[in-house]
Amino acid sequence: MKEFKGSIDRLRVNGERLRQTMETMSKIGRTKGGGVQRLALSDEDKEARDLFIKWLKELNLEILIDQMGNIFGKRKGKRDDFTPVITGSHLDSQPKGGRFDGVLGVMGALEVLRTLEENKIDTERPIIIVDWTNEEGSRFAPAMVGSGVWSGSLDTEWVYNRTDASGKRFEDELKRIGYKGEFPCKSFPIYAYYEYHIEQGPILERENKIIGAPKGIVCLHWYDIYVEGEANQVGPTPMEGRHDALCAAAEMILKVNELPSKVKGDLVATVGEINNYPNSRNIIPDKVHFTVDIRSWDDQLALEAWKILEKEFKAISEKRGCPIRVEETWKVEHSPFDKRLVQRVLDNAQRLGYPSLYMVSGAGHDASYMNQVAPTAMIFVPSINGRSHVEVENTKWEDCEAGVNVLLHCILQSANER
Ligand code: GLV
Ligand code: MN
Ligand code: MN
């Protein structure tokens, strides 16, 4: 290992090492269709965390695990009393998810630290790499709970008591995998937060750009709807007078899909999860649970849209004699990032010769919560065919490398600012 003698502007990460690290990590929870399944606090999540910590130890980082299981690795600065630069993302995945969502931001940050280490480059400020717990919110709703508690937006006990579909508590599962740390989950002053991620949409590819610099993240509103009907034998029970919870839910779900066309402004609305009970072909369903996800850059528009939906749900519920209960599970406001850091992402992309685009993030990220407590920016790279949260999720290795080079220089500049 020799010291980097050239101009620091010419420093680049090792793309081949990044690819190998990503490929090693993607063996954990690998699915038949070529994706990964590492649900939060599962055995696969534990295995990924163990490997991550092994790699952090090789860099002699100071490792800290907090009470939410967030993992931090600190590289000392020349001025260790200066506030640190933080970078990272998440290692958990969706069910049958992709190999890049989240993990690229953690392995990319690791590649930055490895590059600094092998070139013996010290920075003024400390640099901290982070893996946030349960970003996906698929097993335990809501999403982004590690950064949510850390930033002071979510309550620890509330998160500990969230349960998965089989009734297992978050805290019990966190303990079971050995990642309920000692350290309080609480923000400390930080100088800048960068999160590197795949775009998860089609825009960069369509525009022929390599780097995306989101101006921020849309708002995310989650609701859980419980519809009550009356179960009965399907044969002898006449069609008239039935209270079929699934039919009521079906009508409601179509209203969710039609919602964006009824409002003035950009908004997306989705039902992604549905549970039907007792789920037998010869029993009229008496209970249905489904989820609603509404996102927009305009928080007010998302709230107004929900009001429209609520009225429509109520009318369907009355017409079919199927009472409903609504839980407002989660709300995160839209998150406009730090202008100076976003500009830094664009400037570095230009300097390194990567075509870039100023855009909006439609996906949620830990950066939403981090933005509430620290100057924050993200770096996006293209998703092939705009596919994500699926096993075929993919990004060209050269684009992955480009994104880490931008991350490297953003971090170097922030970490050397006094
Ligand atoms: C996070 O994965 C999201 O739901 O956008
Ligand atoms: Mn993600
Ligand atoms: Mn995701």
Side-chain angles (χ1 to χ4, degrees):
M1 269 198 283
K2 38 182 221 319
E3 203 168 337
F4 189 72
K5 288 274 174 26
S7 154
I8 204 134
D9 288 350
R10 288 213 289 275
L11 188 67
R12 298 291 182 272
V13 300
N14 182 335
E16 179 52 25
R17 180 171 57 194
L18 172 73
R19 185 179 68 76
Q20 281 172 14
T21 306
M22 287 288 289
E23 281 178 347
T24 304
M25 187 53 102
S26 72
K27 287 187 184 139
I28 302 176
R30 169 165 285 170
T31 59
K32 283 206 187 84
V36 296
Q37 177 153 319
R38 282 196 302 263
L39 299 184
L41 314 186
S42 62
D43 292 349
E44 293 77 20
D45 186 9
K46 175 192 162 40
E47 207 184 320
R49 287 161 177 268
D50 291 350
L51 178 60
F52 176 54
I53 286 182
K54 175 178 163 272
W55 284 335
L56 296 186
K57 283 185 178 156
E58 286 169 9
L59 287 171
N60 295 316
L61 302 183
E62 185 189 323
I63 297 166
L64 189 152
I65 301 166
D66 73 17
Q67 289 167 336
M68 285 299 295
N70 297 318
I71 302 169
F72 301 88
K74 179 180 163 191
R75 184 174 195 265
K76 275 196 166 44
K78 286 191 242 174
R79 290 293 308 268
D80 221 37
D81 54 323
F82 280 12
T83 49
V85 174
I86 304 200
T87 183
S89 193
H90 59 97
L91 294 175
D92 70 317
S93 85
Q94 288 284 327
K96 288 195 177 175
R99 295 168 296 148
F100 294 85
D101 176 2
V103 61
L104 180 63
V106 187
M107 298 302 102
L110 185 69
E111 176 52 36
V112 167
L113 294 186
R114 284 174 171 170
T115 301
L116 296 182
E117 196 56 23
E118 80 180 344
N119 289 287
K120 296 199 170 78
I121 291 170
D122 288 329
T123 52
E124 295 292 325
R125 295 175 182 276
I127 301 171
I128 296 179
I129 179 172
V130 60
D131 165 38
W132 298 110
T133 295
N134 185 29
E135 191 275 348
E136 294 292 2
S138 175
R139 179 180 177 199
F140 294 98
M144 293 143 49
V145 297
S147 55
V149 171
W150 195 82
S151 64
S153 301
L154 298 177
D155 175 66
T156 309
E157 286 304 318
W158 182 77
V159 173
Y160 279 171
N161 285 318
R162 304 298 294 173
T163 50
D164 69 4
S166 68
K168 290 191 174 125
R169 281 178 73 248
F170 183 98
E171 184 188 21
D172 297 340
E173 285 294 278
L174 185 60
K175 278 189 193 156
R176 184 187 68 80
I177 65 162
Y179 276 92
K180 187 181 174 199
E182 295 285 306
F183 224 76
C185 181
K186 205 167 174 301
S187 70
F188 43 80
I190 60 182
Y191 187 67
Y193 175 72
Y194 290 104
E195 185 165 345
Y196 172 41
H197 208 281
I198 51 166
E199 178 202 346
Q200 307 187 271
I203 297 168
L204 288 175
E205 188 178 66
R206 198 163 62 206
E207 301 286 323
N208 237 332
K209 307 289 187 194
I210 293 177
I211 298 295
K215 65 173 180 176
I217 301 179
V218 295
C219 74
L220 287 88
H221 295 178
W222 283 11
Y223 303 90
D224 282 81
I225 319 297
Y226 299 87
V227 188
E228 194 82 36
E230 188 179 69
N232 213 339
Q233 161 49 297
V234 298
T237 310
M239 294 308 288
E240 62 274 14
R242 288 187 180 195
H243 304 290
D244 184 325
L246 186 57
C247 287
E251 277 196 62
M252 292 175 195
I253 290 167
L254 287 178
K255 295 291 181 199
V256 177
N257 187 248
E258 291 158 11
L259 186 62
S261 66
K262 292 179 184 157
V263 297
K264 287 194 188 71
D266 279 340
L267 179 134
V268 289
T270 311
V271 175
E273 184 181 342
I274 178 166
N275 302 289
N276 176 54
Y277 304 95
N279 214 28
S280 165
R281 71 176 71 204
N282 44 7
I283 304 176
I284 297 167
D286 69 342
K287 271 188 187 55
V288 173
H289 159 239
F290 68 93
T291 60
V292 177
D293 175 308
I294 301 177
R295 304 180 185 205
S296 174
W297 185 256
D298 182 343
D299 303 58
Q300 207 45 44
L301 183 74
L303 292 173
E304 284 162 20
W306 169 248
K307 288 273 170 258
I308 297 174
L309 211 50
E310 244 187 335
K311 254 200 211 137
E312 291 174 333
F313 283 4
K314 197 158 171 262
I316 295 165
S317 153
E318 279 166 10
K319 183 183 76 181
R320 290 195 171 264
C322 292
I324 59 166
R325 182 169 67 80
V326 172
E327 206 181 299
E328 300 195 1
T329 310
W330 190 47
K331 277 198 177 65
V332 184
E333 287 178 4
H334 92 285
S335 193
F337 290 156
D338 184 85
K339 288 195 173 66
R340 201 173 72 94
L341 293 192
V342 175
Q343 190 57 47
R344 173 164 286 167
V345 173
L346 290 165
D347 290 347
N348 276 313
Q350 190 185 23
R351 202 169 53 76
L352 294 165
Y354 307 129
S356 64
L357 190 73
Y358 184 62
M359 58 190 301
V360 171
S361 172
H365 300 287
D366 294 299
S368 262
Y369 280 133
M370 289 307 288
N371 192 50
Q372 296 177 9
V373 292
T376 291
M378 290 191 76
I379 298 159
F380 281 175
V381 283
S383 294
I384 295 176
N385 296 323
R387 304 284 310 277
S388 183
H389 281 184
V390 289
E391 292 167 295
V392 297
E393 176 182 278
N394 205 357
T395 292
K396 289 184 203 156
W397 291 119
E398 67 211 66
D399 292 350
C400 291
E401 180 181 347
V404 187
N405 276 323
V406 174
L407 179 67
L408 168 75
H409 285 281
C410 288
I411 289 175
L412 273 173
Q413 286 155 16
S414 287
N416 282 327
E417 268 170 359
R418 284 183 156 257

